[in-house]
């Protein structure tokens, strides 16, 4: 029977706990995860980075309050997040160029750290878009 997954919200066949097979795999035994194991390690690291940075940047009542700050200047939270994401991509390009030419970065942040930040900005941008769409409904 097709229903909405309790975790991801997709309309699909659901199993125990009202979750689709993909969400049950993610929530369950790591040995049952589909795909490359390193992918899941990186996603867990990205989540840990998000949690740590969130406690430094946002308020407890609104975990995205730091992204909403730009709204005071007339910039949407989505556009502010996109700008931060764009900054990360520029940094990746510069770090890759420096790596190829033997240069060293001015700040001690690896390409991998920068990419994990970009992963989090992508997820946050999705959340901001979902919130905006929900307010319109």
């Amino acid at each position: 029977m097709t229903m909405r997954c309790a975790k991801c919200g997709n309309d699909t066949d659901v199993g125990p706990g009202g979750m689709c097979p993909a969400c049950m795999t993610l929530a369950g035994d790591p040995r049952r995860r589909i795909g490359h194991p390193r992918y899941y390690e990186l996603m867990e690291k990205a989540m840990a980075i998000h949690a740590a940075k969130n406690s430094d940047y946002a308020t407890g009542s609104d975990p995205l309050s730091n992204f909403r700050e730009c709204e005071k200047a007339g910039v949407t939270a989505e556009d502010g997040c996109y700008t931060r994401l764009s900054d990360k991509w520029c940094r990746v390009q510069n770090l890759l160029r420096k790596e190829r030419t033997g240069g060293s970065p001015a700040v001690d942040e690896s390409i991998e750290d920068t990419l994990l930040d970009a992963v989090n900005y992508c997820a946050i941008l999705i959340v901001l878009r979902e919130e905006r769409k929900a307010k319109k409904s």
Side-chain angles (χ1 to χ4, degrees):
M1 174 188 230
T2 300
M3 294 176 59
R4 186 166 298 251
C5 173
K7 186 161 180 78
C8 69
N10 289 333
D11 290 325
T12 185
D13 292 328
V14 297
M19 291 190 288
C20 69
C23 288
M24 286 190 303
T25 300
L26 288 172
D29 186 345
R31 293 172 295 179
R32 294 182 49 215
R33 291 179 173 165
I34 300 166
H36 199 287
R38 182 69 177 133
Y39 173 85
Y40 293 96
E41 291 170 6
L42 291 168
M43 292 301 101
E44 288 170 4
K45 186 173 181 180
M47 288 188 293
I49 289 168
H50 169 70
K53 287 190 174 187
N54 193 262
S55 67
D56 287 342
Y57 288 101
T59 63
S61 62
D62 181 6
L64 299 178
S65 61
N66 56 316
F67 289 93
R68 297 185 213 290
E69 278 296 308
C70 60
E71 293 174 348
K72 294 175 183 175
V75 177
T76 68
E78 286 178 53
D79 287 344
C81 185
Y82 171 76
T83 299
R84 290 173 178 158
L85 181 58
S86 176
D87 290 342
K88 290 296 175 180
W89 286 125
C90 289
R91 178 163 172 72
V92 167
Q93 289 174 325
N94 288 331
L95 289 173
L96 288 171
R97 182 179 38 75
K98 286 180 179 183
E99 187 178 77
R100 285 190 294 269
T101 61
S104 57
V107 177
D108 188 27
E109 180 182 309
S110 69
I111 292 172
E112 289 76 13
D113 290 340
T114 304
L115 289 169
L116 288 171
D117 282 343
V119 164
N120 283 327
Y121 284 139
C122 287
I124 290 166
L125 185 53
I126 290 170
V127 171
L128 290 167
R129 289 174 50 79
E130 289 172 349
E131 287 180 354
R132 176 180 48 81
K133 289 175 184 177
K135 284 181 184 176
K136 286 184 178 179
S137 305

